[in-house]
């Protein structure tokens, strides 16, 4: 089973920041948090990942709480093309596989 | 930007036939994966492959499935005798080895078994 919990769906107005939460209360010290998204049935697209510190790249920011039990993916200026299913994944320590949950279906509204 | 490429994009096959799905991982990656997604369902892990052998596999990956890296660039998934329930999107992915390395996915092959 996936080690993360996400809301099933969210809406966001175009141009506004989209904040997608994820709970991973059983995360252990060496386990990273990864975010991917999937548009229609395309291959999952890597967004960002982190261990303890907040991370930012050209696509998004990742905020990880100090206790590491939850995180938030931030898309700073959502566009219609950001409409997708967003997956928060904690890869089990010692393995390289991802266990996908059902993700959050983000709908960006014009 | 380097990417994982998969061929064909769509494969239709008759039940009982063998299919081979092909992938070209990112060139300097050493870990390779296959995932599948049945329509409307979650993305499911099938198998991971490193150093010319299977590292992990799921319960789905039974004796009907096999993987191979026949040369320095291709990574293949073979389904020996396809069933209707094998119809799905199949995604190949690859990653580096370092701790925390992210995986990059291809655009998938849609397999339809008729």
């Amino acid at each position: 089973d996936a080690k993360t919990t996400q809301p099933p769906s969210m809406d966001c107005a175009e141009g506004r920041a989209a904040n997608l939460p994820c709970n991973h209360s059983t995360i252990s010290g060496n386990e990273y948090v990864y975010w991917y998204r999937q548009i229609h049935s395309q291959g999952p697209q890597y967004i960002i990942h982190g261990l303890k510190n907040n991370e930012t790249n050209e696509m998004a920011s990742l905020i990880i709480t100090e206790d590491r039990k939850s995180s938030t993916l931030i898309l700073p200026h959502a566009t219609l093309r950001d409409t997708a299913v967003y997956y928060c994944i904690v890869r089990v320590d010692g393995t390289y596989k991802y266990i996908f949950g059902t993700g959050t279906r983000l709908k960006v509204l014009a | 930007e380097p990417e994982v490429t998969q061929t064909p994009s769509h494969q239709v096959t008759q039940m009982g036939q063998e299919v081979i799905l092909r992938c070209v991982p990112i060139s300097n990656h050493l870990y390779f994966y296959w995932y599948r997604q049945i329509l409307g369902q979650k993305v499911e892990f099938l198998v991971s492959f490193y150093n010319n052998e299977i590292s992990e596999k799921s319960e789905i990956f039974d004796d009907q499935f096999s993987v191979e890296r026949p040369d320095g660039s291709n990574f293949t998934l073979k389904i020996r005798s396809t069933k209707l329930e094998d119809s799905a999107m199949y995604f190949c992915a690859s990653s580096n080895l370092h701790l925390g390395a992210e995986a990059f996915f291809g655009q998938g092959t849609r397999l339809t078994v008729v």
Side-chain angles (χ1 to χ4, degrees):
Chain A
D1 287 347
K3 296 183 67 170
T4 61
T5 306
Q6 299 177 253
S9 64
M10 292 181 65
D11 290 341
C12 176
E14 189 178 19
R16 304 298 293 267
N19 296 282
L20 291 91
C22 179
N23 285 323
H24 30 80
S25 57
T26 61
I27 195 170
S28 63
N30 294 326
E31 293 174 339
Y32 285 71
V33 180
Y34 300 82
W35 283 84
Y36 285 79
R37 71 182 183 185
Q38 189 176 28
I39 299 171
H40 298 300
S41 294
Q42 295 176 23
Q45 179 188 19
Y46 167 75
I47 301 172
I48 200 167
H49 74 288
L51 182 63
K52 298 180 190 175
N53 300 321
N54 298 337
E55 303 287 345
T56 295
N57 64 20
E58 64 279 2
M59 287 183 72
S61 294
L62 173 61
I63 309 297
I64 302 174
T65 58
E66 196 169 335
D67 63 8
R68 303 210 321 123
K69 293 185 176 181
S70 65
S71 60
T72 301
L73 178 75
I74 301 172
L75 307 178
H77 305 286
T79 71
L80 298 178
R81 286 180 294 182
D82 292 322
T83 292
V85 178
Y86 286 77
Y87 298 101
C88 169
I89 301 169
V90 171
R91 197 167 63 191
V92 175
D93 193 16
T95 80
Y96 279 82
K97 67 184 180 189
Y98 294 139
I99 305 297
F100 284 80
T102 51
T104 295
R105 186 171 296 277
L106 175 70
K107 190 172 181 181
V108 180
L109 306 171
Chain B
E1 184 176 309
E3 59 180 15
V4 176
T5 56
Q6 291 186 241
T7 53
S9 56
H10 191 187
Q11 172 99 40
V12 181
T13 189
Q14 290 206 324
M15 193 168 52
Q17 294 296 305
E18 173 183 288
V19 293
I20 297 176
L21 309 183
R22 302 180 192 280
C23 169
V24 179
I26 293 172
S27 62
N28 62 342
H29 285 182
L30 296 175
Y31 232 100
F32 315 115
Y33 316 82
W34 284 101
Y35 290 77
R36 80 171 186 190
Q37 186 175 32
I38 295 170
L39 186 63
Q41 298 188 22
K42 296 181 196 177
V43 177
E44 301 173 288
F45 168 78
L46 292 179
V47 66
S48 61
F49 189 86
Y50 166 68
N51 201 25
N52 279 322
E53 59 183 32
I54 290 173
S55 303
E56 293 179 86
K57 60 182 181 178
S58 70
E59 291 178 355
I60 303 167
F61 193 88
D62 61 21
D63 292 344
Q64 294 294 327
F65 292 90
S66 62
V67 289
E68 192 179 30
R69 187 152 163 81
D71 54 43
S73 59
N74 290 287
F75 179 52
T76 61
L77 175 69
K78 182 193 291 186
I79 309 175
R80 271 182 255 287
S81 177
T82 49
K83 308 191 245 321
L84 294 176
E85 54 265 38
D86 293 327
S87 295
M89 286 290 291
Y90 288 80
F91 299 111
C92 175
S94 68
S95 72
N96 274 321
L97 270 185
H98 63 80
L99 185 65
E102 67 275 27
F104 293 91
F105 287 77
Q107 286 305 296
T109 293
R110 180 175 299 282
L111 177 65
T112 303
V113 182
V114 297

